[in-house]
Amino acid sequence: MFNETVLKEINDIRVKYPDRRSALLPSLYIAQREFGWLSHEAMLCVSKALNLPEAEVRGTASFYAMFKNKPVGRHVIQLCTNISCMVLGAEKLVDFIGNKYGVQPGGISQDGRFSLVIMECIGACGTAPAMLVDTDFYDNLSEQRIEEVLGKYK
Amino acid sequence: MEKFLLKNIENPNSADVDEYVKVGGYRNLSKALYMQPKDILEEVKKAGLRGRGGAGFPTGMKWSFAMADPKFPKYLLCNADEGEPGTFKDRPILEKNPHLLIEGMTISGYTLGSEYGYIYIRGEYPYAKDVLKKAIQQAYEKNYLGDNILGKGKRFHLGVYQGAGAYICGEETALIESIEGRKGQPRNKPPFPVNVGAWNMPTIVNNVETLSNLPYVLEIGGEAYSKIGSKDCPGPKLYSVSGCVEKPGVYELPMGTSLKDIIYKHAGGIRNGKKLKAVIPGGISTPVLPAANIDCAMDFVAMQKAGSMLGSGAVIVLDESVCMVKVTYRALKFFEHESCGKCVPCREGTEWLRKILHRIENGQGREGDIELLTDVTWIMSGKTFCPLGDGAAGVVTGMLKYFRNEFEEHIKNGKCEFVS
Ligand code: SF4
Ligand code: FES
């Protein structure tokens, strides 16, 4: 179960909306923060905290790309390969990350350090290619810059 | 043209309330509170302001529908779910000029008789979300938000709602479903959200840029505003330019600036001395234009005449080294991923198109594939529940219209001249 502090956090969100169900997405974010991904247990906690059927919690969570339905590495690299990024070489960067860190799109590196997710546009097309690492933004990517950046994430 | 939407953003502290006030911020909110809501509506109508999210619907008209509905409470939702690939025009407002949006929303709330607003921001903008939250807190402290705004006894409360990575949530009824804690699937219309929207109450959904125009309409007056840019769709416009140009970025220019000028005068022309091949003018769901057709005004009306759409004003520039089959394939991969699955022509059609394009791109195209693509787009066009499916079909149709030879070459030779 969620501890008292988390339950209070969820309750504070609940009262901001006319309907408790609106707290679902924010609560799923909290559960993902607490458990790392939306495991069965994580969803059960959300369903209890908001008094919503578990099937509905699961159905809603699976609709959204940012909710993870399987375990992830310690750091999640979300790299965009949409058109503005693609024409500036994003696909080569996917290969580079794959070779250098041993992680393929949708997978986790052997050491559990990184997950790689191919992202649809993250609104950094003007400084493409771009990625998010956890919640940090990086753009103007090149192989060298990726090495510099990822070095900071242990 | 003097900047308004992006004014002061070179200042490293531009997101701070004091810096915003220093350059005239919140002045128009206090002006608004001395006016009657119906007079503000009149100014918005006179201004000819059209929604900047993509559809271009007249804002004053939308507002008057909501104002005529006596139900209460009413909700004001800001659509900050900027998810169309190529589009990043709202990001500078959200990250660097958040008080402009807050001021615009408070003015709108007062005009519409709404006391609660929410900014629905895409999950991919975690930094902007933090900036907004801080700005909102500052606005509360300074009495620009709350129960007694500027001591005038008016009330407006504002919160931020974080989306979770679903492009379709930029469609207003899907956005409403999402903020209610459901899958973001579009609703049937009518009833329209202005009458039955979030939590079944009258709801106005406006884009970040639209709401941020409100202070400007009041500052210079509807009449003067209507004289900026195009006659049919006046005002300043944010264009986000990306792809193969020298100076990509967000440009604030009068609505109706020519596409050619945006690319060559403002964004510095094509990178590395290459030649322009094509432009996707309004974000990837808008039909492509070949280089020869870019001498046209970028506004809602003129772009339609040119065979495309203004969309969000997201100009994606493609140079001579880009393979159009690959671009089309990548676009369809996106639409397949983002189709909400509610209606068959879109759910099945996007997948089918993506599969055909995938084999053509990989040199396994078959004779008849182009006809098949055409057939599938015909099955989809005008027969999907919301604009996503239509947009996906339109992208393929546009590409086949101008670059059919590249598709043929792929199928015939099993490859193209652009393999890198
Ligand atoms: S057109 Fe696509 S996105 Fe729109 S409702 Fe149908 S399936 Fe969903
Ligand atoms: S296309 Fe990659 S960030 Fe927009």
Side-chain angles (χ1 to χ4, degrees), chain A residues 80 82-85 121-125 130, chain B residues 86:
Chain A
C80 171
N82 215 304
I83 293 171
S84 305
C85 288
C121 184
I122 50 177
C125 339

Side-chain angles (χ1 to χ4, degrees), chain B residues 26 98-107 132 135-136 139 145 158:
Chain B
Y26 287 114
H99 286 284
L100 177 68
L101 173 61
I102 297 172
E103 182 174 10
M105 286 191 78
T106 313
I107 294 171
L132 275 176
I136 288 173
L145 286 173
L158 189 56

Side-chain angles (χ1 to χ4, degrees), chain A residues 16 22 29 64 84 121 123, chain B residues 91 118 122 161 163 179 182 242:
Chain A
K16 282 197 207 155
S22 290
Y29 269 116
Y64 294 95
S84 305
C121 184
Chain B
R91 216 173 135 198
Y118 297 95
R122 62 187 306 218
Y161 198 86
I179 204 170
R182 298 167 208 280
S242 65

Side-chain angles (χ1 to χ4, degrees), chain A residues 79-86 90 119-131 137, chain B residues 83-88 91 122 242 284 316:
Chain A
L79 183 79
C80 171
T81 61
N82 215 304
I83 293 171
S84 305
C85 288
M86 182 184 91
M119 250 331 225
E120 297 302 345
C121 184
I122 50 177
C125 339
T127 44
M131 66 177 176
F137 237 116
Chain B
E84 172 97 5
T87 310
F88 48 104
R91 216 173 135 198
R122 62 187 306 218
S242 65
I284 74 161
I316 305 173

Side-chain angles (χ1 to χ4, degrees), chain B residues 168 171 184-186 335 338-347 350 384-390:
Chain B
I168 190 62
E171 194 279 337
Q185 291 184 312
F335 289 118
E338 300 299 335
S339 167
C340 83
K342 181 166 176 150
C343 63
V344 177
C346 170
R347 186 183 62 222
T350 50
T384 60
F385 195 79
C386 88
L388 188 143
D390 238 351

